[in-house]
C-alpha cells in the first residue's frame, strides 16, 4: 500500500473526507502584509517548500533569499528588526534550531528582535531521515528565554498565526504546516490566542493533552473512543511557550486518566511541560505518553513513519484503548 | 535635532589624535578599576573609534535612539572596554562609572549586552553575529528609503566563524553599498597568535564581491582616508582591512605576549598611565 509514495517535504497526507486548505501560511502572511507595510519575508533556499512564493510574487521588494545559509538568514532578520522591520523567516526546523540556534538565542531573543521563524518539516512530516526531521526543535526553542514557541494544529490555526505573528512581541518560533493542510478547527469559531489552550469535549474518563497536528489525531481517537463508551476530551495546547499551565492543571484535574501526544521526542517538549504543570499543581494521574522515541528516525515515507512511531489517529486510538483495557476502563471493540 | 559629527570634508587630525589619546585614557581608567580586561584590543582600536565617533558617524548626542542614525555594530563584544570609552567620551555613559567596568551589577560589562547602555546596538559576545546583523540593518535602511549607513567592526579571529562569510555572501547578493565593514586585524585570538592561517584577508573579501582597501588602523590619516573612501556608492559593500597593534600606545603592553586578556598588577597602573602620556607628549 505504501509502495511508490514519495518521502514528502513537510506536507501532511490527505485524510479521506477531511477538508484541506492549500498554503495557509501564505494566506496568513499576505493578510499580515496588508496590515503591516514593514513586513519582510526571508528564506534560505527553501522558498518552494515553505509556501513563501505567493508573498514573493506580491511583494518582490520585501522578499529575500539568502541561499543555503541559516545563520545569515537569522542574523539578517535580526538586523532588519533593528531598523523597525518585522521579519518572517522560513527554513526547515532542523536547520533553524540546530544550525542557527545561537543566532535565534542571541541575535534575536536576547534583544527581543521581531523575528518570526516558521520552521518546516516538524517532527515526522518528512521521510528524509534524521537530517531533516525536526524532532527536538520544541525542546531547543523553549529552553531559550523570551521566545514564543508555537506548534499549530491545522490550516485554520496556521493561517491565523501567520496573520497574527506581526502582533506577537519579540521572537517567535512556529512550526510550519505547508502544502495541503487539513482543516480541523472551524475557522468561523476558532480563534488562536497566544498562550491559551483550548478544550474540546467534556468527557472525563480520559483526557488528551496535545499539540501540533497530534491534536487532529487525538480528536479522531477521542471520537472513536466515545463511540465505544469512553468519555474523552482533548486539550489543544498550540502555544508551547508561554505554556498554559493553569489550563493543563485544570484539565488534568477534571479527568481520570491523561494522555499526552506530541509530534516531537518525549524529551523536553509538551509531555515534560505537562508533567511540570501537574507537579506544580500537585495533581497525580495515570498517564500515557505518546511521542517520538529518543532516537534518530530513519528515512521512509511519511505515512509509514507516522504509523510505525504511533502518530496516526488509528495508532493513537489503538494504544489508548489497550491502555484503558489493561487498567480496567473498557473501550468496547 | 542636535546633529553632530556628520561627515565633514575637513578633518581636524590634531583634534582626532587628541580624541584617540582620550579614549586610551578612558580605557586605562576602566582596566585599572578591574585590574584586568580586553585592554590590548581596545587600545588598538582607538584611532578607528575616535575617527568614527568624532568625524564620520551620524548620530544625535541627545537621542541615542534617533531613527535615522548611522549604526555602528561592534561585533566583538569583548572589546566593550573600547566602546564604553567612546560612549563616555560622547556623553552616553558617565565617565565616573568607568571604573566599574566588569564589576558585579555594573552595566559596563566585560562584553556588550544590548539594552543596558545607550549606544550599544547589539549583543556582541558570540562571535560571528555582527556582520549578518549589519547586513540586515543595511537592508532595512534601504527598504525604508533612509540614507543612514551601517558600520560594523569584525575581527580577524572572527573571520574563522563561517557565519561571517555567509553574511558577506548575502551583502554582496543584495548589493549593499550603505554597509561598511572594518576588520580589526590585530593578529591575536584567545589561544594566542592566529591559530589557523587567515590571510590573505583582503583577497578573501575581494573574492566575496566586496570593495576592499587595506590600511594601518593606527595611522589616523589612513583611517580618515578610509572613511572618505567608504562614502562612495558603487552598488557593493565595502570593507576596510585595518592592521592594528594590540596595546597600541603603551610600549610595555604592546610587547606583551598574552595580549588577548591583560592583567596588570595594582602598582603598575600609574606607570602605564605615565607611559601613555609620555608617548603622546
Amino acid at each position: 500500500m505504501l509502495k511508490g509514495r514519495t518521502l514528502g517535504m513537510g506536507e501532511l497526507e490527505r485524510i479521506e473526507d477531511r477538508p484541506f486548505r492549500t498554503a495557509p501560511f501564505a494566506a496568513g502572511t499576505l493578510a499580515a502584509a496588508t496590515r503591516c507595510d514593514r513586513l519582510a519575508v526571508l528564506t534560505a533556499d527553501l522558498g518552494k517548500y515553505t509556501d513563501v512564493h505567493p508573498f514573493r510574487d506580491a511583494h518582490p521588494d520585501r522578499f529575500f533569499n539568502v541561499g543555503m545559509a541559516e545563520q545569515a538568514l537569522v542574523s539578517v532578520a535580526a538586523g532588519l528588526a533593528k531598523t523597525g522591520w518585522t521579519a518572517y523567516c522560513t527554513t526547515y526546523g532542523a536547520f533553524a534550531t540546530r544550525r542557527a540556534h545561537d543566532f535565534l538565542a542571541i541575535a534575536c531573543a536576547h534583544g527581543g528582535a521581531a523575528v518570526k521563524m516558521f520552521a518546516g518539516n516538524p517532527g515526522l512530516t518528512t521521510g528524509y531521515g534524521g537530517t531533516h526531521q525536526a524532532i527536538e526543535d520544541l525542546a531547543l526553542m523553549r529552553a531559550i528565554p523570551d521566545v514564543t514557541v508555537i506548534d499549530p494544529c491545522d490550516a485554520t490555526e496556521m493561517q491565523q498565526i501567520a496573520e497574527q505573528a506581526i502582533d506577537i512581541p519579540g521572537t517567535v518560533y512556529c512550526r510550519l504546516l505547508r502544502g495541503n493542510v487539513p482543516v480541523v478547527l472551524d475557522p468561523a469559531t476558532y480563534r488562536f490566542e497566544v498562550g491559551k489552550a483550548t478544550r474540546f469535549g467534556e468527557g472525563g474518563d480520559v483526557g488528551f493533552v496535545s499539540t501540533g497536528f497530534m491534536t487532529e489525531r487525538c480528536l479522531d481517537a477521542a471520537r472513536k473512543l466515545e463511540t465505544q463508551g469512553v468519555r474523552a476530551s482533548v486539550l489543544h495546547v498550540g502555544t508551547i511557550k508561554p505554556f498554559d499551565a493553569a489550563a493543563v492543571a485544570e484539565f488534568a484535574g477534571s479527568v481520570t486518566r491523561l494522555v499526552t501526544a506530541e509530534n516531537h521526542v518525549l524529551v523536553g517538549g509538551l509531555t515534560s511541560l505537562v508533567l511540570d504543570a501537574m507537579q506544580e499543581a500537585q495533581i497525580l494521574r495515570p498517564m500515557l505518553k505518546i511521542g517520538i522515541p529518543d532516537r534518530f528516525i530513519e528515512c521512509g515515507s511519511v505515512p509509514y513513519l507516522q504509523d510505525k512511531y504511533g502518530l496516526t489517529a488509528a495508532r493513537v486510538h489503538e494504544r489508548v484503548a489497550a491502555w484503558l483495557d489493561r487498567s480496567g476502563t473498557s473501550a468496547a471493540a | 535635532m542636535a546633529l553632530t559629527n556628520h561627515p565633514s570634508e575637513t578633518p581636524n587630525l590634531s583634534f582626532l589624535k587628541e580624541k584617540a589619546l582620550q579614549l586610551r585614557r578612558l580605557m586605562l581608567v576602566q582596566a585599572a578599576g578591574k585590574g584586568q580586561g580586553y585592554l590590548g584590543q581596545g587600545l588598538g582600536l582607538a584611532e578607528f573609534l575616535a575617527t568614527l565617533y568624532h568625524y564620520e558617524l551620524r548620530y544625535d548626542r541627545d537621542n541615542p535612539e534617533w531613527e535615522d542614525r548611522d549604526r555602528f555594530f561592534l561585533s566583538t563584544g569583548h572589546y566593550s572596554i573600547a566602546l564604553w570609552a567612546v560612549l563616555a567620551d560622547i556623553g552616553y555613559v558617565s565617565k565616573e562609572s568607568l571604573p566599574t567596568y566588569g564589576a558585579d551589577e555594573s552595566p559596563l560589562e566585560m562584553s556588550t549586552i544590548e539594552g543596558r547602555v545607550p549606544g550599544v546596538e547589539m549583543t556582541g559576545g558570540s562571535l560571528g553575529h555582527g556582520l549578518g546583523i549589519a547586513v540586515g540593518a543595511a537592508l532595512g535602511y534601504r527598504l525604508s528609503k533612509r540614507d543612514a549607513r551601517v558600520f560594523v567592526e569584525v575581527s580577524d579571529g572572527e573571520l574563522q566563524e563561517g557565519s561571517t562569510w555567509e553574511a558577506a555572501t548575502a551583502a554582496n547578493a543584495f548589493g549593499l553599498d550603505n554597509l561598511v565593514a572594518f576588520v580589526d586585524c590585530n593578529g591575536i585570538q584567545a589561544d594566542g597568535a592566529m591559530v589557523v592561517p587567515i590571510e590573505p584577508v583582503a583577497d578573501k573579501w575581494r573574492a566575496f564581491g566586496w570593495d576592499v582597501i587595506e590600511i594601518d588602523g593606527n595611522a589616523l590619516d589612513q583611517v580618515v582616508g578610509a572613511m572618505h573612501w567608504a562614502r562612495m556608492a558603487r552598488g557593493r559593500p565595502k570593507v576596510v582591512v585595518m592592521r592594528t597593534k594590540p596595546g597600541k600606545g603603551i610600549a610595555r603592553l604592546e610587547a606583551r605576549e598574552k595580549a588577548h586578556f591583560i592583567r596588570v598588577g595594582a602598582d603598575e597602573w600609574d606607570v602605564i598611565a605615565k607611559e601613555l602620556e609620555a608617548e603622546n607628549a
Side-chain angles (χ1 to χ4, degrees), chain A residues 268-286:
Chain A
L270 175 76
T271 304
S272 301
L273 284 159
V274 169
L275 286 165
D276 283 350
M278 291 171 68
Q279 190 277 330
E280 286 284 332
Q282 293 289 291
I283 295 168
L284 197 59
R285 288 290 181 276

Side-chain angles (χ1 to χ4, degrees), chain A residues 38 40 61-62 64-66 68-73 75-80 82-83 85 102-103 106-107 110-111, chain B residues 67 71 73 113-114 121-123 126 128-129 132-133 135-137 139-144 146 162-163 166-167 170 174:
Chain A
R38 281 199 181 189
D61 55 323
R62 292 198 256 154
F64 302 96
N65 197 331
V66 299
M68 275 182 272
E70 292 74 21
Q71 298 175 120
L73 174 74
S75 55
V76 169
L80 273 163
K82 284 180 187 294
T83 52
W85 287 74
D102 180 35
F103 295 78
I106 302 301
H110 199 307
Chain B
E67 214 181 341
R71 302 288 177 121
F73 295 108
I113 302 295
E114 185 182 353
E121 300 279 12
M122 68 172 284
T123 297
S126 181
H129 284 218
I133 289 172
V135 168
L139 206 53
Y141 275 152
R142 190 172 76 185
L143 280 175
S144 306
R146 296 177 190 279
S163 56
E166 287 189 15
F174 302 145

